[in-house]
Amino acid sequence: MSAEQAAAPDTGAAEAAVQEGRLRRDLGFWALTAIGFSNIVGSGWLFAAMYAARAAGPASLLTWAGAGVLCGLVALVMIELGASRPEGGGTVRWPLYASGRLVGTVVGWSVLLSVGGTAAEISAIMQYADHYLPDLYHGHLLTPTGLGVAVGLSVLLTALNWFAVRTFARLNNLVSIFKIAVPVVTVIALFASGWHSGRLTDHGGFAPYGYAACLSALAGGGIVYSVNGFQAPLDFSGETRNPRRTIPASVLTGIGLALLMYLALQAAFLFTVPEGLLGDGWKGVNLESPFGQLALILNLHWLSSLLYADAVLSPGGSAYVGVALNARHTYALAKNRTLPRALMTVDRRSGIPHRALALNLAVIVVFLLPFCEWQRIVSIMGDMYLLIYAASAVAVAVFRADPGTPMAGWVPGLRWIAPLSFVVAGEFVYWSGWHDLRLALPLVLAGLLIFLGMRRAAQDGSLAVELRDGAWLLCYLAGLTLLSWLGTFKGSGRLPAPYDSLAVALFSLAVFSWAVRSGVRHRAAARGAR
């Protein structure tokens, strides 16, 4: 019996191995890089430059660079996991292996909720399509007609994912080429139209709202959401020809290309926005379709037409990858028994988990209903997914400390990178602000009810032991909620800056130490029970 079977004895390892074997291992470096890049560069490039500028002014350039560094730290942790333990939907499986069923269930539930991120991409498509079809969007919300079109698009993306993974990769490669070309043309055309040299110092200076605004822009400005998506190749590790060699290079290449593109787009926006729109400073800039309308103002009608066409294809490409990722997550959640085992079934001919695809289509439609505004979806869904980053940092530290768990050793310095990435994940959650966390974290904690329901149905093992092994996660979520309410990011302000972010960092380090000790104890007990 493997360590994973011992650590998760109820997952039906034999049946799971059969389904895992049906996945087609057809993906190479360029296919995985295109998947990661396409998942990163979606609606974010169309909107986040304006939102970031409104939040932080020219200092938003620092925010993008900081987001790249911080996400790179988290990526290194996940790269080591993906290279060491390749598996379909691995980001959902690793927390279960390392910390037990309670953590696996709560993290899995948050991943299922993060399916709404695909709804964000579809909502972005509708917002730009409203330029041609005015009945789709009204007052920052989808109209009934727009909702119907959005649901139809969700069905189409699901249908395109129904076939073999090789077909999916080829279509995504074509989309990725277009997604690179259009932003590059946009940057060149905007700068060629003329630019204002004093933008880094005019209108309040480089940081008109203070450098603390750079932190809130990470989440509220959509930057974290826009850079997020680098983990996509990891969830296809079970469908990769040589994961130990291919995954690290593809993840880092995808992050690097996307970050360079986002920095160029942010600079183009900052330097070419007309003076007439800056009468009230950067906060006063308000364009429903930022780059498209900016092109029209600058008399670049051909560019505007190109952007409005790409506004469908670019987030559509991310949504296309998102639907595929969601299916791998749901497939992995079924292996975890967080969802019914029937959803684990992989089609013999195509190697695709068709039932998982169908369930995620239903979830996407549900998320289109209550959360129709792009930025609202971005903030809430980003909070949901960030929990995977924290759980992965714990998992890699637990596996390193477990003598029965071989690691690839691809990433040096994991001893300090793992706790630092855990802190980064906690700060990302905290910086998103109390108004979003008060909605997101209680939703995640609802995963505890799912765990208790599953536990009652299983009737095996000790509930006290399982609660002890996973108690760190519940305390972590509760503590972040409390600190968010006390802090300055749309909270009560009782804990002033920068001491609020420092408190989150210290609290995260304490929880990380607790979580690693619990994980090592969990795996040792599982091996002893064999």
Side-chain angles (χ1 to χ4, degrees):
M1 182 182 295
S2 69
E4 276 64 40
Q5 292 167 352
D10 65 323
T11 55
E15 182 184 356
V18 170
Q19 300 300 330
E20 188 78 9
R22 292 179 180 175
L23 297 176
R24 305 292 176 81
R25 287 157 177 79
D26 292 330
L27 301 178
F29 168 76
W30 288 113
L32 284 178
T33 299
I35 287 172
F37 178 84
S38 187
N39 200 43
I40 296 172
V41 181
S43 58
W45 88 266
L46 296 166
F47 295 91
M50 183 189 73
Y51 287 135
R54 291 177 60 182
S60 55
L61 292 169
L62 295 180
T63 305
W64 283 108
V69 172
L70 296 178
C71 287
L73 287 171
V74 179
L76 289 174
V77 166
M78 303 187 78
I79 283 170
E80 179 68 19
L81 289 169
S84 302
R85 344 183 59 76
E87 183 176 358
T91 56
V92 175
R93 296 286 278 171
W94 301 324
L96 175 73
Y97 294 154
S99 301
R101 285 188 292 182
L102 175 56
V103 172
T105 301
V106 174
V107 172
W109 168 244
S110 72
V111 171
L112 185 61
L113 290 173
S114 73
V115 171
T118 303
E121 300 297 338
I122 294 172
S123 180
I125 294 171
M126 296 299 104
Q127 189 168 342
Y128 262 80
D130 186 66
H131 177 75
Y132 298 109
L133 302 171
D135 291 335
L136 298 181
Y137 224 81
H138 179 70
H140 299 290
L141 295 174
L142 288 172
T143 64
T145 301
L147 181 61
V149 175
V151 171
L153 180 58
S154 303
V155 172
L156 175 61
L157 292 173
T158 301
L160 291 174
N161 268 283
W162 203 261
F163 306 102
V165 69
R166 183 176 295 178
T167 304
F168 158 78
R170 287 174 177 171
L171 179 57
N172 183 64
N173 288 344
L174 294 175
V175 173
S176 296
I177 292 172
F178 192 80
K179 290 176 71 171
I180 292 173
V182 174
V184 169
V185 169
T186 299
V187 171
I188 294 173
L190 289 178
F191 276 116
S193 70
W195 54 291
H196 307 274
S197 59
R199 283 298 169 75
L200 296 182
T201 55
D202 296 343
H203 305 287
F206 184 71
Y209 312 116
Y211 285 95
C214 296
L215 302 181
S216 59
L218 281 169
I223 290 180
V224 168
Y225 176 81
S226 298
V227 179
N228 184 25
F230 59 83
Q231 77 292 334
L234 297 163
D235 285 306
F236 286 88
S237 59
E239 296 159 89
T240 303
R241 287 193 292 270
N242 190 346
R244 289 178 182 266
R245 183 183 65 184
T246 306
I247 287 176
S250 64
V251 171
L252 293 178
T253 302
I255 292 175
L257 289 174
L259 183 61
L260 288 174
M261 179 176 294
Y262 279 127
L263 281 169
L265 288 164
Q266 186 69 62
F269 186 85
L270 291 170
F271 281 99
T272 60
V273 168
E275 285 289 331
L277 297 180
L278 293 169
D280 296 324
W282 291 103
K283 286 186 180 294
V285 179
N286 188 17
L287 302 171
E288 287 194 8
S289 303
F291 282 108
Q293 289 180 256
L294 182 59
L296 287 175
I297 293 171
L298 298 175
N299 293 318
L300 299 172
H301 295 278
W302 65 270
L303 178 61
S304 178
S305 299
L306 179 63
L307 286 169
Y308 280 109
D310 181 70
V312 174
L313 186 60
S314 192
S318 289
Y320 179 50
V321 173
V323 169
L325 282 177
N326 296 337
R328 273 68 181 177
H329 290 154
T330 300
Y331 157 78
L333 290 174
K335 289 197 290 184
N336 287 1
R337 289 193 181 276
T338 302
L339 294 173
R341 298 306 296 271
L343 296 169
M344 185 176 65
T345 303
V346 176
D347 180 69
R348 292 178 182 272
R349 295 183 60 186
S350 65
I352 301 294
H354 285 165
R355 294 176 182 177
L357 271 173
L359 174 66
N360 284 308
L361 171 61
V363 176
I364 290 169
V365 171
V366 168
F367 271 100
L368 283 170
L369 298 175
F371 301 115
C372 294
E373 187 178 354
W374 183 85
Q375 198 174 11
R376 190 68 170 167
I377 299 175
V378 163
S379 298
I380 294 177
M381 292 306 104
D383 294 338
M384 302 294 187
Y385 204 89
L386 288 169
L387 194 55
I388 272 190
Y389 299 159
S392 296
V394 171
V396 79
V398 169
F399 294 152
R400 282 187 69 252
D402 183 5
T405 306
M407 299 295 288
W410 193 91
V411 178
L414 275 176
R415 183 176 182 179
W416 63 268
I417 290 177
L420 188 55
S421 66
F422 188 87
V423 170
V424 168
E427 296 287 7
F428 277 170
V429 173
Y430 172 71
W431 292 334
S432 62
W434 167 245
H435 288 175
D436 291 329
L437 291 182
R438 66 181 180 178
L439 298 175
L441 293 185
L443 283 173
V444 173
L445 285 171
L448 176 60
L449 301 178
I450 298 175
F451 164 77
L452 293 174
M454 292 167 52
R455 174 63 180 70
R456 173 171 292 189
Q459 292 295 329
D460 61 345
S462 169
L463 177 60
V465 170
E466 292 172 358
L467 290 174
R468 182 195 65 186
D469 290 342
W472 67 266
L473 180 58
L474 303 181
C475 292
Y476 180 60
L477 295 174
L480 284 178
T481 303
L482 175 61
L483 288 170
S484 179
W485 176 72
L486 291 172
T488 58
F489 289 82
K490 301 180 182 179
S492 63
R494 288 176 170 84
L495 186 61
Y499 302 107
D500 52 348
S501 294
L502 179 60
V504 171
L506 294 175
F507 172 69
S508 297
L509 285 174
V511 172
F512 177 80
S513 179
W514 176 14
V516 174
R517 290 197 305 271
S518 294
V520 171
R521 183 178 59 238
H522 163 75
R523 289 183 66 83
R527 284 196 305 272
R530 285 184 294 175

